[in-house]
Amino acid sequence: MPTLILVRHGRSTANTEGLLAGWTPGVALDERGAAQAAALPGRLAELPLAEIVTSPLQRCQETIRPLLQARPELSPHTDERIGECHYGDWSGRKLAELKDEPLMEVVQAHPSAAAFPGGESMRAMQTRAAEAVREWNARVERDHGADAVYLMCSHGDIIKSLVADALGLHLDLFQRISVDPCSITAIRYTRLRPFLVRLGDTGDFTSLVPREEPPGEEAPVGGGAGAP
């Protein structure tokens, strides 16, 4: 079965403003995010990509644009099932405000029970994304062979949920996974089991440098902004 390259979108204006973007329109890459996207073709230069699939949201579309320019033979496919979680009434709100919401404790500690007001549950988010991957695995294998490599550009919580699915982890453990903006995660699927072969690889260790204000214990909903 194919190998899936999961790319989280580059850093966005919502990331730097501390907003939970969700499906809010008009959320673009910031200057750093655009630079991350521009570097993506070089990072993936050795990989023979069979297909490129992307979330419909602007920040993902902007992230893969340089890659598509470098590989004009590829036409992107848009799949809403790998779009961001529908955060409903939380969309567009500041994360600093949301941390005091009672639901945030559930999102952190028991995400399989979390459902966003006016939005979707985290279980539904994982289910739709995993179904999309399984369907694309079959399609890519049919059209390009079992050894094909393809790419999906998606979002932090989506990618974390797909990693949890690949590792057989309960969704309640997915907040232990971290994927920075424009990081690369790779999952090689086989008939019997998936293998996680890369996780959140940015090629940059800046995020590991001790900070004056250490990161908190809570996982950033939506994925966070990455290294400062």
Side-chain angles (χ1 to χ4, degrees):
M1 296 178 71
T3 296
L4 170 60
I5 307 298
L6 288 161
V7 176
R8 185 184 168 199
H9 62 78
R11 196 174 75 176
S12 72
T13 53
N15 293 145
T16 49
E17 292 170 8
L19 301 176
L20 186 62
W23 284 69
T24 305
V27 176
L29 299 183
D30 67 6
E31 185 176 351
R32 180 171 183 163
Q36 291 170 334
L40 196 57
R43 294 169 63 197
L44 298 173
E46 301 300 317
L47 291 181
L49 298 176
E51 300 283 0
I52 294 179
V53 187
T54 180
S55 156
L57 295 174
Q58 179 179 338
R59 52 198 183 273
C60 286
Q61 302 277 338
E62 290 181 357
T63 298
I64 64 162
R65 190 172 298 152
L67 182 60
L68 292 170
Q69 290 170 347
R71 303 200 187 197
E73 73 279 6
L74 293 175
S75 298
H77 304 274
T78 298
D79 194 324
E80 292 197 357
R81 294 174 297 176
I82 62 167
E84 181 63 285
C85 184
H86 290 276
Y87 296 117
D89 297 344
W90 280 25
S91 298
R93 292 181 60 187
K94 284 191 172 292
L95 288 165
E97 298 172 357
L98 292 170
K99 70 179 183 179
D100 295 326
E101 294 278 354
L103 177 60
M104 182 60 84
E105 186 177 10
V106 181
V107 170
Q108 292 291 324
H110 191 20
S112 66
F116 295 98
E120 70 179 333
S121 69
M122 301 200 93
R123 293 189 318 279
M125 173 199 74
Q126 183 187 43
T127 297
R128 63 173 165 85
E131 287 178 349
V133 166
R134 282 162 174 76
E135 288 182 19
W136 276 103
N137 282 348
R139 177 173 173 175
V140 169
E141 181 173 2
R142 181 197 67 205
D143 295 344
H144 303 283
D147 295 329
V149 179
Y150 75 107
L151 180 146
M152 283 185 168
C153 185
S154 188
H155 306 265
D157 282 349
I158 294 287
I159 294 173
K160 287 163 56 178
S161 75
L162 290 171
V163 170
D165 175 76
L167 292 177
L169 294 178
H170 196 283
L171 184 61
D172 286 347
L173 300 179
F174 101 127
Q175 296 290 29
R176 302 183 183 193
I177 300 165
S178 177
V179 289
D180 279 353
C182 225
S183 63
I184 293 172
T185 295
I187 303 171
R188 179 167 60 87
Y189 289 87
T190 73
R191 186 175 63 88
L192 296 181
R193 64 183 61 84
F195 291 90
L196 178 66
V197 293
R198 292 287 189 281
L199 176 61
D201 186 347
T202 63
D204 179 3
F205 295 100
T206 307
S207 64
L208 302 180
V209 175
R211 306 181 193 178
E212 291 183 9
E213 184 177 338
E217 295 182 353
E218 291 191 348
V221 182

